[in-house]
Amino acid sequence: MPGNFPDHYAALHVPRTATQREIARAYRSLLRTHHPDLANPTAAPAELQLIMQAFAVLRDPKQRRAYDRAVLRNERDVLRNERDIVRNEQGAAAAGPRDGQSKDHSREVPVRHIRHEDPPLRATPVRWESGPWATIRFDPGGKRRR
């Protein structure tokens, strides 16, 4: 899989269209075959960890949707970058280098990120009971009492 995303479907040996039941069955069978206490004392803990991470993501429908969207977005970005590289190479080959210029025209542009430490202003409720008049009470008949 392109990019830095682990392929959870390949780790569980299931297709992308697998149901929750198929994912759970694949996880349990792989866990039985890779767990050091059950079957294989020389099992690689890293592979077992990948299986457990894959199941943790794919068993929850929300996490699975987010993972699928992220993978698709990543694949699109990789394809777009490859397409841009091919276009740039084709354009550079067609144009050829100019006199006194190198082929590489890329440069880094510094970006400054500004963070505001002050919280945004917010309105607070008015406290009507504060002040010297707060001690004056009235009874239901309208007479003043202390």
Side-chain angles (χ1 to χ4, degrees):
M1 174 172 293
N4 57 357
F5 284 93
D7 191 356
H8 293 317
Y9 295 103
L12 292 179
H13 305 291
V14 294
R16 289 187 184 274
T17 58
T19 62
Q20 293 297 104
R21 174 179 265 171
E22 292 170 340
I23 289 171
R25 284 182 181 171
Y27 169 72
R28 284 193 297 271
S29 69
L30 286 171
L31 199 61
R32 274 195 297 294
T33 59
H34 288 84
H35 199 281
D37 292 340
L38 297 178
N40 191 0
T42 61
E47 192 170 349
L48 184 64
Q49 189 70 24
L50 285 175
I51 293 168
M52 290 171 31
Q53 286 176 349
F55 182 67
V57 171
L58 296 181
R59 73 176 172 188
D60 183 25
K62 284 184 180 179
Q63 287 183 354
R64 183 177 178 182
R65 279 193 300 269
Y67 169 76
D68 289 339
R69 279 194 303 265
V71 168
L72 287 175
R73 189 177 320 117
N74 185 41
E75 288 175 354
R76 276 193 304 237
D77 291 345
V78 167
L79 290 175
R80 190 175 299 132
N81 289 341
E82 289 174 358
R83 187 181 62 224
D84 291 344
I85 289 171
V86 170
R87 284 183 183 167
N88 289 340
E89 288 174 356
Q90 289 174 350
R98 296 183 184 169
D99 294 334
Q101 284 186 340
S102 66
K103 289 184 179 182
D104 187 21
H105 299 290
S106 63
R107 63 179 181 151
E108 276 193 40
V109 178
V111 178
R112 184 172 156 201
H113 297 280
I114 300 173
R115 290 192 169 194
H116 297 285
E117 298 298 325
D118 298 332
L121 295 176
R122 63 185 184 110
T124 57
V126 178
R127 299 201 56 210
W128 295 102
E129 284 82 27
S130 62
W133 56 86
T135 58
I136 301 172
R137 303 280 183 225
F138 292 92
D139 63 1
K143 294 186 178 179
R144 186 173 164 182
R145 61 182 171 135
R146 287 208 180 241

